[in-house]
Amino acid sequence: MDGRLLSECGIHAAHLFDPLLLSHFLADLEADIGWESARVATGRGAARRGRLRPNVRQAEVNYLAGLPEVMACFKAGVRQHLVPLLQEAYQTRIALPMECSAVRYGPGGHFQVHVDNGEGLEHRAFSVVCYLNDGLTGGETHFPDLELAVRPSAGLAIAFPSGYRHAALPVMAGMKYVLVCWLAGAPAVKWI
């Protein structure tokens, strides 16, 4: 995906990790026992306290409590590579990454169209998705209002206003691993 096209749509991209570090992250994540079924926020409160709704979201989440080095590297990469891009593009101050987690999608795994700053999550100004692997079929991040889909590419991170409607398209073959977090700040100017 052309980075210029993405930024024209209000989506900013950067490569956060080299292949060797990614292979370590994936090995640590695959071995970790902290995975649980992903939930969907339903009203006030964090998504962690939401409901299981496999027709809406079929994935597993790991809140990285047992993997502090993965969380620290992710936060550092976001601060170094994405926060400056967002601050320049939106002319706003942005807080440090928060609510970091890993998400994995197996075959059929998906998350229907949603926004990340709905009721009870208004503090989220920007969303960050970092792809940890490629070589899968499907699993694109789809922005229906922009008619745009971003294919997973190992090490690539995208950041966009949390109010952008987006979906994780179904994984057809393979596994999809991503790191996600949110950034607080002034609400982003509506680009679409």
Side-chain angles (χ1 to χ4, degrees):
M1 177 60 50
D2 179 359
R4 190 181 68 234
L5 174 62
L6 288 176
S7 65
E8 288 174 2
C9 295
I11 301 169
H12 297 272
H15 279 273
L16 299 190
F17 307 115
D18 66 49
L20 182 60
L21 189 56
L22 285 173
S23 68
H24 290 297
F25 284 175
L26 283 172
D28 290 347
L29 285 167
E30 288 171 348
D32 194 71
I33 60 170
W35 293 97
E36 59 185 73
S37 294
R39 297 175 179 272
V40 176
T42 53
R44 292 261 166 228
R48 193 172 191 171
R49 294 185 300 269
R51 293 187 353 208
L52 293 175
R53 296 184 62 197
N55 59 321
V56 174
R57 185 180 192 194
Q58 185 177 343
E60 293 179 296
V61 67
N62 184 320
Y63 292 100
L64 303 174
L67 299 167
E69 60 284 342
V70 173
M71 185 181 296
C73 286
F74 179 45
K75 285 182 175 183
V78 169
R79 279 194 307 269
Q80 180 180 2
H81 299 288
L82 289 172
V83 168
L85 291 174
L86 294 169
Q87 287 182 157
E88 182 179 335
Y90 290 95
Q91 296 297 302
T92 188
R93 292 183 52 85
I94 296 173
L96 298 178
M98 61 185 171
E99 303 175 58
C100 298
S101 61
V103 183
R104 71 178 170 194
Y105 298 87
H110 67 279
F111 195 169
Q112 288 185 2
V113 175
H114 63 284
V115 296
D116 290 335
N117 62 351
E119 185 180 353
L121 303 171
E122 296 89 352
H123 60 282
R124 296 176 174 176
F126 297 94
S127 302
V128 176
V129 177
C130 180
Y131 305 102
L132 297 182
N133 67 311
D134 44 28
L136 59 139
T137 304
E140 296 89 350
T141 303
H142 181 235
F143 296 88
D145 299 326
L146 299 172
E147 298 179 3
L148 179 72
V150 178
R151 167 172 270 133
S153 177
L156 177 70
I158 59 171
F160 52 91
S162 294
Y164 274 22
R165 291 176 359 104
H166 62 286
L169 296 181
V171 172
M172 306 310 285
M175 295 289 288
K176 174 183 170 184
Y177 285 87
V178 297
L179 294 174
V180 298
C181 72
W182 290 272
L183 304 167
V189 174
K190 187 170 179 76
W191 283 65
I192 55 175

